[in-house]
Amino acid sequence: MRPLHEIRGLRYPDEFLVRHFFRRGLHQRPGRVVELGCAAGSNLSLYQGFGWSVEGADIDAQVISDARWNLGEDAVLVEADLSQTTPTELAGPYDAFLLPSSIYYLGTEPAERLIRDFAPRLKPGCEVFVRVRLPDDYRWGRGDRLGPSSWRLNTPETGEAGLRMDFYTEAEAVDLMRRTLDLRDVATLNVRFDNVQAMGMVRGNSDLIIWGRTPS
């Protein structure tokens, strides 16, 4: 693995994904992990450091290039618009399935289609990590409304101006994961925190994190 000062993009994984990784004992049993919306690979680097095979997809060609630099030639990385397509290159079977900060940008129907497409690629007992935005997040209502819980954002301070964002209640998000993956052993964490944005602005984030497993 590359020294920390050579890493491109974010250098550290999602802190709640780190908690999931160790609490579920994934550091003790290497396997195969896929992350949808992998960016520059900071989350995948945690798994790779413990001997896992890592795979991922992202829409941004530059961050996929950075992920290849960070993770090396053994990583399987695909540039893809996940709102439109399910990458055939990511075939599985997987021991861990990561959706840490991606499905709320896709639209509710594309998100459900994508998760359903991956369901057959997940092993029995596959560990699942999901992060979605809750309706009390700062971004709710800031932009052009696309649906009951969807906006085209107008938030340049968060770097998301022009992006679609869908917000999920806890019940909606858990129902989605149970419908698509028959998710078991579900645990939910409500995470609210202040985040420093561009120009020193502080804004409140509100996320729901879901841990679970596919049926054994």
Side-chain angles (χ1 to χ4, degrees):
M1 297 178 65
R2 295 189 182 279
L4 190 60
H5 71 274
E6 293 184 3
I7 296 297
R8 297 175 182 173
L10 291 176
R11 290 174 168 81
Y12 301 104
D14 180 314
E15 66 173 293
F16 284 91
L17 186 138
V18 174
R19 296 182 190 190
H20 174 264
F21 183 80
F22 289 102
R23 187 63 61 88
R24 298 288 206 178
L26 303 186
H27 60 299
Q28 297 173 329
R29 52 179 185 91
R32 191 174 182 185
V33 58
V34 63
E35 179 179 11
L36 303 183
C38 65
S42 59
N43 290 328
L44 291 175
S45 68
L46 172 65
Y47 287 78
Q48 188 180 62
F50 283 84
W52 284 64
S53 299
V54 299
E55 304 185 17
D58 201 282
I59 191 172
D60 190 319
Q62 182 58 57
V63 300
I64 287 293
S65 176
D66 290 344
R68 289 196 178 102
W69 167 264
N70 294 335
L71 299 173
E73 295 299 322
D74 291 338
V76 177
L77 300 164
V78 179
E79 180 189 344
D81 181 350
L82 298 173
S83 71
Q84 301 296 321
T85 187
T86 302
T88 57
E89 301 93 325
L90 305 178
Y94 297 108
D95 301 279
F97 182 44
L98 311 181
L99 298 162
S101 297
S102 54
I103 63 171
Y104 49 75
Y105 291 118
L106 302 181
T108 54
E109 291 182 4
E112 181 160 347
R113 180 267 306 160
L114 183 68
I115 298 168
R116 288 191 185 279
D117 286 350
F118 266 87
R121 310 179 192 186
L122 308 183
K123 289 183 180 179
C126 175
E127 287 286 347
V128 177
F129 180 97
V130 183
R131 189 167 188 153
V132 298
R133 287 268 147 81
L134 290 163
D136 61 343
D137 185 87
Y138 160 77
R139 298 161 184 80
W140 174 278
R142 285 176 167 80
D144 297 324
R145 196 163 199 164
L146 303 176
S149 301
S150 305
W151 274 267
R152 184 74 61 193
L153 295 179
N154 181 18
T155 54
E157 67 275 15
T158 70
E160 296 165 312
L163 297 180
R164 176 184 179 132
M165 183 166 287
D166 290 86
F167 299 82
Y168 294 79
T169 66
E170 180 172 337
E172 289 168 341
V174 172
D175 179 65
L176 170 64
M177 301 313 298
R178 284 182 168 148
R179 285 200 321 271
T180 53
L181 298 180
D182 193 17
L183 202 65
R184 311 287 178 86
D185 301 325
V186 173
T188 59
L189 298 85
N190 286 264
V191 180
R192 294 177 176 85
F193 60 97
D194 289 337
N195 197 14
V196 178
Q197 306 289 353
M199 300 172 285
M201 294 181 179
V202 177
R203 296 292 183 257
N205 284 32
S206 184
D207 294 349
L208 177 77
I209 294 169
I210 301 173
W211 299 0
R213 297 184 180 95
T214 57
S216 298

